[in-house]
Amino acid sequence: MSASASPLAACENCTAALHGDFCHQCGQSAHSPVRSFGHAVEEVFESFWHLDGRIFRTLRQLLLPGRLAASYLAGHRARYVPPMRLFVILSVLTFFVARLAVHVDGGTFIQQTATPPEVPGAFQDATSSAEVEQVRRALVAPLAQSRQAMPERLRAPLDTAIEKVEKQAVRRNQELAAQPAGVAATAPVAVKPKAPPSTGGHSKPVQIDGLPDFVNHWLDGKAAAIRKNLPRVSENPQLAVNAFFSSVPSVLFVLVPLFALLLKVFYLGSGRLYLEHLVVALYSHAFLCVGLLGVLLLSMLGTPLAGIPGADILIGLAIAGVLVWMPIYLLVMQRRVYGESWLVTSLKFTVLGWLYFSVVTVATALLALASLANI
């Protein structure tokens, strides 16, 4: 098959005479993908090359805060990739790369070694300072290991957990020291709990007051799936990571319209329609995807450049720069699009950002649980 074909005189779709690369009657391209191998390849990557390089022009404008959104809303649409298409491309690409870049080993976040023999299960069972120390080490070791493997900004919950264990150890040692000399500490008598009613082979079913029975039944099924999948996740946490990143683009299709609704509420007097706010929301999230993609690619450079002195420092500074620039970009974009003063824009940006961050935090937690159920 030849790589090219002679130009057509008439449109193959409506038979109208052709006077250019597209039919003026129906809009179909004059280049047939079944007659030219080059155009067949271009058809696959239409969003990137066949649209006269619009994807590259769009990305260049996207990197300038608010430039692309303001231009698109002003009516200059032909030169750019539509916001929905751009968002879909970037979100799918970003979280595909995230699955490749983020790796979690089974021994990194989950302690897989058995509890050492003769170590009491709780501080209240310890009858001497030596046993208290054994318990303390057994509890702190996996927490410290996980803390070491996590980024600095995510270590706060583990620091709190370690501090709590240390306080419990000190409290138990004080209790043991306060006992009269020669009196052996006695462990509390264990009371056998009453067996729960049978629930079909698993724990008590989910029952939330106010929700319909079918919703509680659905939640109970998800809870059972999570319990069933936990052993697999313990052995291979990467399963949960992959499931999480695979689900993020779908969740964004709910969060982006919600962000547009918040913009509509905060800018009621702007005279803009909801769909115009949706354009701003789509371009905002498209840029966030670009920023996250940059962070992921920079982090992936750490392995091949590990032997170069100072490379890790430069990569760390570059990642920090991207993370700092992302909220600044969104602030400048919001002011450029809506045209209000810096003071008013900053106030709205702070409150809006706090509300949306709260929603994203809840959505992330729910998505993490849903990912465990859908492995």
Side-chain angles (χ1 to χ4, degrees):
M1 185 175 70
S2 61
S4 61
S6 58
L8 299 174
C11 176
E12 293 179 309
N13 182 53
C14 66
T15 70
L18 291 173
H19 301 285
D21 292 334
F22 294 90
C23 175
H24 70 280
Q25 187 72 28
C26 67
Q28 178 170 288
S29 173
H31 302 284
S32 173
V34 300
R35 292 173 177 245
S36 169
F37 179 77
H39 285 292
V41 175
E42 288 177 340
E43 183 105 332
V44 177
F45 298 100
E46 179 181 4
S47 296
F48 294 93
W49 287 288
H50 205 57
L51 297 180
D52 301 324
R54 282 194 288 171
I55 185 68
F56 303 108
R57 185 185 305 116
T58 302
L59 289 175
R60 285 197 301 268
Q61 294 296 308
L62 181 66
L63 295 178
L64 302 174
R67 177 75 63 84
L68 181 58
S71 182
Y72 190 89
L73 293 174
H76 308 298
R77 297 183 290 271
R79 68 184 70 174
Y80 303 121
V81 175
M84 178 60 77
R85 181 183 298 180
L86 179 70
F87 169 70
V88 170
I89 293 172
L90 291 177
S91 61
V92 172
L93 177 62
T94 297
F95 291 102
F96 173 77
V97 173
R99 292 186 59 178
L100 301 177
V102 179
H103 296 281
V104 180
D105 296 328
T108 301
F109 296 105
I110 300 177
Q111 184 72 10
Q112 299 208 6
T113 57
T115 303
E118 302 179 359
V119 174
F123 283 112
Q124 291 302 320
D125 295 333
T127 58
S128 67
S129 297
E131 291 184 351
V132 170
E133 180 61 18
Q134 280 185 300
V135 175
R136 188 195 69 80
R137 286 200 302 265
L139 295 177
V140 169
L143 294 173
Q145 183 181 6
S146 299
R147 181 187 181 279
Q148 193 67 25
M150 297 183 73
E152 183 70 32
R153 61 184 180 279
L154 300 179
R155 293 179 177 177
L158 291 174
D159 290 338
T160 302
I162 292 174
E163 182 180 356
K164 184 177 180 180
V165 172
E166 299 288 356
K167 289 181 178 179
Q168 290 175 345
V170 171
R171 187 182 303 116
R172 183 55 179 164
N173 277 325
Q174 291 174 346
E175 292 173 355
L176 293 174
Q179 292 177 350
V183 177
T186 59
V189 178
V191 179
K192 185 177 181 180
K194 184 179 179 181
S198 175
T199 57
H202 58 270
S203 60
K204 185 177 180 180
V206 176
Q207 187 65 41
I208 302 178
D209 295 336
L211 292 181
D213 291 339
F214 75 91
V215 175
N216 281 317
H217 180 72
W218 180 82
L219 291 174
D220 186 50
K222 292 297 182 182
I226 291 175
R227 286 191 291 270
K228 181 180 178 181
N229 290 332
L230 281 178
R232 295 173 58 203
V233 175
S234 297
E235 295 179 1
N236 185 10
Q238 190 65 37
L239 292 173
V241 173
N242 291 342
F244 178 83
F245 285 129
S246 297
S247 304
V248 170
S250 300
V251 176
L252 287 177
F253 277 101
V254 177
L255 293 177
V256 171
L258 177 59
F259 183 69
L261 181 61
L262 291 175
L263 287 173
K264 176 66 175 177
V265 172
F266 275 74
Y267 289 96
L268 284 175
S270 65
R272 294 192 179 276
L273 303 174
Y274 172 77
L275 290 180
E276 293 179 288
H277 296 294
L278 183 59
V279 169
V280 178
L282 287 168
Y283 281 138
S284 299
H285 286 75
F287 169 76
L288 291 176
C289 287
V290 171
L292 180 57
L293 183 60
V295 170
L296 292 170
L297 294 176
L298 285 170
S299 65
M300 292 173 71
L301 283 176
T303 300
L305 300 181
I308 301 177
D312 55 339
I313 297 177
L314 293 177
I315 292 175
L317 291 175
I319 291 176
V322 173
L323 294 176
V324 170
W325 171 239
M326 289 166 72
I328 297 175
Y329 174 101
L330 296 176
L331 174 63
V332 176
M333 176 182 181
Q334 194 168 312
R335 183 181 185 276
R336 175 169 288 175
V337 171
Y338 295 103
E340 294 186 332
S341 67
W342 279 110
L343 177 60
V344 174
T345 301
S346 299
L347 291 174
K348 289 185 177 181
F349 178 81
T350 302
V351 178
L352 176 63
W354 179 81
L355 288 174
Y356 189 61
F357 179 78
S358 300
V359 172
V360 170
T361 301
V362 174
T364 302
L366 294 177
L367 179 59
L369 290 175
S371 300
L372 289 176
N374 296 326
I375 294 175

